[in-house]
Amino acid sequence: MATDNRIHFWRKNAKVPGSIQPVYGAQHPPLDPRIHRTFPKDTPKANNLKSKKASSFHEFARSTNDAWDIDDEEDEDFLAPIHPSSLPPTLHSTHQVHPLPPQQPINTTIEPDTGPGPADRLAPPTAEVRLQHEEATDCGQINGRVVVKSSSEALLNTNTVRSTLQKQQSLPVRPIIPLVARISDQNSSGAPIMTVRDKSRLDKFKYLLSCPNTDLEELRKHSWSGIPREVRPITWRLLSGYLPVNMERRDLVLKRKRDEYFGFIEQYYHSRTDETYKDTYRQIHIDIPRTNPLIPLFQQPAVQEVFERILFIWAIRHPASGYVQGINDLVTPFFVVFLSEFVEEDVENFDVASMPLDTQRNIEADSFWCMTKLLDGIQDNYTFAQPGIQNKVKALEELVSRIDEDIHNYFKRYEVEYLQFAFRWMNNLLMRELPLRCTIRLWDTYQAEQEGFSHFHLYVCAAFLIEWRKEILSMVDFQGLLMLLQNLPTIHWGNEEVGLLLAEAYRLKYMFADAPNHYKR
């Protein structure tokens, strides 16, 4: 009873001053309907109470409490049905020896692949399970009354305990990385990365890259549907225009460009404390720790120093725009891809300082030049008043009004401006909306497109918006709409979802890019 009162009190007073509010963006744990059980159409709780649909901003905020509330509710949901009297002695003793870690409910929620699979559910119960089942159906007394536990409840309790124990025993020694922070490019379903089709595609890439003069058009054609991890670094260098297509010239060009970059470091980096550039360097120094805060790789001092040098040199060499918040995110995909050339797995925890110094320098220089090539095509996004972003947001509004008039009118009805949510989509190229693994897959296609970052991105944003049509039309006020659009639940996305998004974006481009009468009123 005391626990119920406490939960009711905090739900009723969710908007107390100073309470922690949800952090926006896919790089932070988003508001995911599969995690929050108070959303519509969620699985009912153990008390079989039906969750009500949020009809106001305050009710919506109550149903999306911060991570502290999530931990409390999940602890109670997982542990409430399990009583020591209903557990077998062996399980009870084991449970006492291995208590749950404080954050275990969050990890078990976003890593469903570690739980019992279909085989466990379909296979007949073993002798151990039958014994536990028989013991769990014993009679107990509650408030002086004899209560017989049902078979289904007992089996649920047994499976819950067994699943919990399996998760505890399978925990790795290294720090646990949340799903949103995983960089490995696998599907959200946990399917293996390498298949027969993937191996065939990898062979095609290796053949193209081994030719004396790489056919860029053919390479773009194969890269559109994704680049295998093994050849992604050299393919990105080629598609971005950093490397020449002639194989004999590549080593010479790489050495020259890398030396040129570190020449910039020697010439300019000491001026970061000068009166002219100290404000630029200060802003970069503040933004770097905010870059992918859930991924340990980017919190390493060695990596943050690399990013500071890259961003500062780029800023002073491009005075028309200088450094703008959001550019710091654009370094991370290049850095991770070029680092993966030397790290086979678990990039999230890799200690960059343990690498040879020459390797670190090469990764830094390559990341700088490839980011520079990218920004050369979209620099008007970051010049004064950011006219490029303004024009793209306006074009997105026109496009959505043509492809889905219901959503467009819904935004007008609740006075939602496209600039309020789409500015970040254009400024950060959807990096705040998607996990980093999805961004890398998305950039495979952007690199393969002739104007992927500047033109095709518009149609990807339109397809991304339409993807959430059902959720958007279910919101009933301005606050709910804006919170949804700034917290789109993409935490479980993988290659499959990004592939479907790109296919829809290509369809929109095919229909509207060369059809101005369809595009404008």
Side-chain angles (χ1 to χ4, degrees):
M1 180 62 70
T3 303
D4 294 340
N5 292 336
R6 179 171 61 86
I7 296 174
H8 179 72
F9 171 79
W10 285 113
R11 285 180 176 171
K12 183 177 180 182
N13 299 275
K15 297 294 290 182
V16 294
S19 62
I20 300 176
Q21 299 302 316
V23 182
Y24 298 155
Q27 298 181 7
H28 304 273
L31 306 179
D32 192 342
R34 282 169 283 192
I35 295 178
H36 294 265
R37 292 176 303 281
T38 53
F39 272 22
K41 299 183 180 179
D42 279 358
T43 304
K45 293 186 177 182
N47 56 7
N48 294 327
L49 290 178
K50 295 183 178 180
S51 58
K52 296 190 298 182
K53 181 178 178 180
S55 58
S56 67
F57 170 69
H58 297 292
E59 293 185 11
F60 181 78
R62 280 198 215 77
S63 66
T64 55
N65 290 332
D66 55 283
W68 305 93
D69 299 326
I70 299 172
D71 283 339
D72 294 339
E73 294 183 14
E74 290 195 4
D75 283 339
E76 290 159 3
D77 286 348
F78 275 102
L79 300 179
I82 305 175
H83 301 284
S85 61
S86 63
L87 292 178
T90 54
L91 289 179
H92 178 57
S93 61
T94 306
H95 186 69
Q96 293 292 335
V97 174
H98 303 283
L100 283 174
Q103 296 182 350
Q104 186 68 14
I106 292 287
N107 292 334
T108 56
T109 303
I110 61 176
E111 299 184 24
D113 54 333
T114 58
D120 294 331
R121 293 191 295 268
L122 297 177
T126 61
E128 180 185 358
V129 174
R130 287 196 299 267
L131 178 60
Q132 295 171 359
H133 174 66
E134 292 172 0
E135 293 181 359
T137 54
D138 291 343
C139 297
Q141 289 189 356
I142 300 178
N143 296 331
R145 298 182 180 180
V146 177
V147 179
V148 180
K149 295 183 179 294
S150 65
S151 300
S152 59
E153 182 185 355
L155 187 58
L156 176 62
N157 292 344
T158 303
N159 289 339
T160 303
V161 175
R162 184 176 61 177
S163 175
T164 303
L165 294 177
Q166 289 176 350
K167 290 180 176 66
Q168 293 171 354
Q169 295 169 0
S170 62
L171 287 177
V173 177
R174 61 180 182 273
I176 299 173
I177 304 300
L179 180 60
V180 69
R182 289 181 187 167
I183 301 177
S184 58
D185 51 347
Q186 69 177 25
N187 297 328
S188 60
S189 60
I193 299 175
M194 183 62 68
T195 63
V196 175
R197 178 178 177 273
D198 293 335
K199 188 178 185 305
S200 175
R201 295 186 67 251
L202 178 60
D203 293 339
K204 291 179 182 178
F205 273 92
K206 288 182 177 179
Y207 172 75
L208 288 172
L209 297 172
S210 64
C211 294
N213 292 284
T214 302
D215 187 347
L216 276 185
E217 289 302 317
E218 194 69 16
L219 188 63
R220 292 181 192 278
K221 175 183 175 182
H222 287 86
S223 300
W224 204 98
S225 57
I227 303 173
R229 183 180 187 271
E230 294 80 358
V231 295
R232 182 176 280 138
I234 186 173
T235 303
W236 276 26
R237 292 187 185 103
L238 285 166
L239 294 179
S240 64
Y242 174 48
L243 272 187
V245 295
N246 184 271
M247 182 179 292
E248 294 180 355
R249 296 180 54 229
R250 290 175 189 169
D251 291 340
L252 183 62
V253 169
L254 276 178
K255 184 179 185 307
R256 177 172 60 84
K257 298 296 285 185
R258 288 166 177 171
D259 291 344
E260 184 179 358
Y261 167 72
F262 283 100
F264 295 152
I265 296 293
E266 295 178 2
Q267 184 178 358
Y268 299 115
Y269 194 61
H270 65 85
S271 64
R272 64 189 182 279
T273 56
D274 293 351
E275 188 68 25
T276 306
Y277 301 119
K278 68 177 184 180
D279 289 340
T280 298
Y281 178 75
R282 177 180 176 275
Q283 188 60 57
I284 292 173
H285 187 73
I286 292 173
D287 289 345
I288 292 302
R290 304 172 181 172
T291 305
N292 293 283
L294 293 179
I295 302 179
L297 173 68
F298 299 113
Q299 303 308 309
Q300 299 176 23
V303 175
Q304 294 184 355
E305 291 173 5
V306 167
F307 282 23
E308 287 181 359
R309 289 193 292 267
I310 290 175
L311 295 171
F312 181 76
I313 296 301
W314 187 90
I316 64 175
R317 293 189 73 246
H318 296 80
S321 61
Y323 173 75
V324 178
Q325 286 182 305
I327 296 179
N328 55 305
D329 288 331
L330 305 183
V331 187
T332 56
F334 292 113
F335 184 82
V336 168
V337 167
F338 297 144
L339 177 63
S340 67
E341 203 170 8
F342 307 95
V343 182
E344 293 184 359
E345 59 181 12
D346 200 14
V347 181
E348 302 91 342
N349 287 308
F350 183 76
D351 183 11
V352 174
S354 65
M355 301 179 69
L357 183 60
D358 289 343
T359 302
Q360 297 181 43
R361 289 166 60 90
N362 293 341
I363 293 173
E364 179 178 345
D366 293 353
S367 300
F368 170 80
W369 286 115
C370 287
M371 186 197 73
T372 300
K373 293 286 186 181
L374 184 160
L375 289 172
D376 286 347
I378 57 173
Q379 191 171 358
D380 60 342
N381 285 7
Y382 307 103
T383 54
F384 178 74
Q386 300 182 274
I389 292 180
Q390 301 281 349
N391 293 334
K392 289 183 176 68
V393 171
K394 183 63 177 177
L396 177 65
E397 181 177 358
E398 292 285 344
L399 182 58
V400 173
S401 70
R402 288 299 181 183
I403 63 180
D404 198 321
E405 193 172 1
D406 290 341
I407 288 182
H408 181 71
N409 292 334
Y410 207 70
F411 286 160
K412 292 175 64 176
R413 174 183 173 185
Y414 290 103
E415 300 180 351
V416 174
E417 298 291 338
Y418 284 78
L419 203 62
Q420 292 170 330
F421 63 90
F423 180 89
R424 189 171 72 183
W425 296 9
M426 304 299 177
N427 188 64
N428 301 85
L429 299 177
L430 287 177
M431 287 196 62
R432 297 291 179 90
E433 275 55 54
L434 297 172
L436 183 55
R437 61 182 180 276
C438 296
T439 299
I440 292 174
R441 168 62 190 92
L442 187 69
W443 284 22
D444 286 347
T445 301
Y446 282 2
Q447 300 266 15
E449 285 278 335
Q450 289 291 349
E451 296 179 321
F453 294 98
S454 59
H455 184 63
F456 186 65
H457 180 67
L458 168 66
Y459 298 95
V460 172
C461 289
F464 187 65
L465 181 64
I466 303 304
E467 172 72 19
W468 309 102
R469 185 180 194 277
K470 182 179 179 181
E471 290 81 359
I472 289 172
L473 297 179
S474 68
M475 295 293 111
V476 294
D477 56 17
F478 171 84
Q479 292 88 345
L481 274 170
L482 210 57
M483 288 189 69
L484 172 67
L485 292 168
Q486 293 178 340
N487 293 274
L488 293 169
T490 60
I491 183 174
H492 293 278
W493 275 36
N495 287 351
E496 295 174 357
E497 290 79 6
V498 175
L500 293 173
L501 178 69
L502 290 167
E504 178 63 16
Y506 181 80
R507 185 185 71 84
L508 294 176
K509 178 189 174 186
Y510 184 83
M511 293 176 60
F512 292 97
D514 299 321
N517 291 333
H518 293 175
Y519 184 77
K520 297 180 180 179
R521 295 186 184 276

